[in-house]
Amino acid sequence: MRIRDYSRPTTLNPDRLFGQVAQKLAVAIITGAVKAGEVLPDEDDLRSDISVSRTAYREAVKVLTAKGLVEARPKSGTRAAPRDSWNLLDPDVLAWHFEADPNEKFIRDLFELRRFAEPAAARLAAQRRTAADIARIEAAFRGMVDNEPYDDVTIRADLAFHESVFAASHNATLMCLASAVAATVQWSLLLKSVDDRDFFVASLVDHERVLDAIVQRDGDLAAARMKALVIDSLNTTLAMLTPLSATIIQKTA
């Protein structure tokens, strides 16, 4: 299954050769085509798919090393690093996951992070939001309401809603988690059927309730409503991935 990435542009330019090489190698590592500890394909191995220069290959390896996907071992070459070394919240690493099939464990992990981070962001947003913050959140919500479910513009509006809540928290470190939230929102939306209007309508109600709590400056209510929204999204996403074995998370947990 291939999932389109609607997130903000990553730090690498896909039109640059070394960016293409980095993506090719990264996807091979993330999918397990190149397993941890295995030597990376060299530029000759990649030339059947893309034109690769030695300089572009070296730049790509340097980028992947900085992101934890690759490690250089003395006298044994450049090899794929184990997953626990990857910078999983790096925007490029998250984007490269969209080139691979969704991994249930990774999606669960991201949702777990989201379950802690996003209610906290909503709480702070309610306490600190400005008129400009409210205008951005309302505009994003209106974009969800005014367009067809699961259209590109609707998905982008949903992402903008969550990113605007993080921005309204006015906490720079918390805002660093916005890319991970964007990834889970995308997986949640894009795994669903375009005919699943019931989920979409219910989600609109949840988003509006979060917005209302932020407008009211009620931090506790905003956090509680955001937590409910995240748990609903997790449960429906897991149902799409593993319909017979998904574990339902209770909103009161």
Side-chain angles (χ1 to χ4, degrees):
M1 182 186 301
R2 295 291 181 238
I3 297 181
R4 181 175 177 185
D5 182 9
Y6 289 79
S7 63
R8 293 167 296 178
T10 61
T11 60
L12 295 181
N13 185 343
D15 294 329
R16 294 285 300 276
L17 182 55
F18 85 91
Q20 296 174 24
V21 176
Q23 181 183 38
K24 187 78 174 177
L25 293 172
V27 171
I29 293 169
I30 291 169
T31 59
V34 178
K35 295 180 173 55
E38 291 184 352
V39 176
L40 292 186
D42 60 22
E43 55 264 40
D44 292 331
D45 295 327
L46 296 177
R47 284 198 180 103
S48 60
D49 294 325
I50 55 177
S51 176
V52 182
S53 68
R54 184 173 297 274
T55 299
Y57 184 85
R58 286 177 177 173
E59 285 297 316
V61 168
K62 189 182 300 183
V63 167
L64 296 181
T65 300
K67 297 178 186 297
L69 275 70
V70 167
E71 57 187 11
R73 298 181 180 180
K75 301 181 181 180
S76 64
T78 304
R79 298 174 181 268
R83 189 177 181 83
D84 58 11
S85 296
W86 302 356
N87 183 357
L88 291 172
L89 297 185
D90 179 274
D92 291 314
V93 176
L94 285 168
W96 288 326
H97 275 81
F98 279 90
E99 296 296 317
D101 291 339
N103 177 287
E104 181 182 343
K105 175 63 166 61
F106 184 52
I107 292 176
R108 279 183 177 274
D109 287 347
L110 285 176
F111 264 105
E112 193 166 80
L113 174 65
R114 183 181 170 191
R115 191 175 165 196
F116 286 108
E118 203 162 9
R123 183 189 304 277
L124 289 177
Q127 296 167 351
R128 300 175 178 176
R129 94 294 189 280
T130 65
D133 292 326
I134 292 298
R136 282 191 291 269
I137 299 171
E138 287 180 337
F141 177 70
R142 183 52 51 192
M144 297 172 63
V145 172
D146 291 346
N147 295 287
E148 287 298 309
Y150 310 113
D151 279 358
D152 284 7
V153 65
T154 311
I155 293 173
R156 293 184 189 281
D158 200 340
L159 293 175
F161 180 96
H162 293 273
E163 290 175 346
S164 296
V165 171
F166 271 93
S169 75
H170 295 279
N171 182 307
T173 54
L174 193 57
M175 286 167 62
C176 291
L177 300 177
S179 59
V181 168
T184 62
V185 170
Q186 290 178 87
W187 268 311
S188 178
L189 288 170
L190 297 171
L191 285 172
K192 295 176 177 62
S193 168
V194 294
D195 297 325
D196 186 8
R197 302 182 74 91
D198 290 342
F199 169 80
F200 183 79
V201 171
S203 175
L204 285 180
V205 173
D206 286 343
H207 284 75
E208 185 173 27
R209 284 164 57 83
V210 171
L211 170 59
D212 287 344
I214 293 174
V215 170
Q216 295 170 30
R217 292 191 183 276
D218 191 329
D220 290 343
L221 185 61
R225 288 178 173 177
M226 183 63 84
K227 181 180 178 182
L229 187 158
V230 172
I231 291 173
D232 279 346
S233 183
L234 171 60
N235 286 333
T236 54
T237 301
L238 290 178
M240 292 295 173
L241 286 171
T242 52
L244 298 180
S245 61
T247 300
I248 300 300
I249 308 298
Q250 298 300 320
K251 292 184 184 181
T252 57

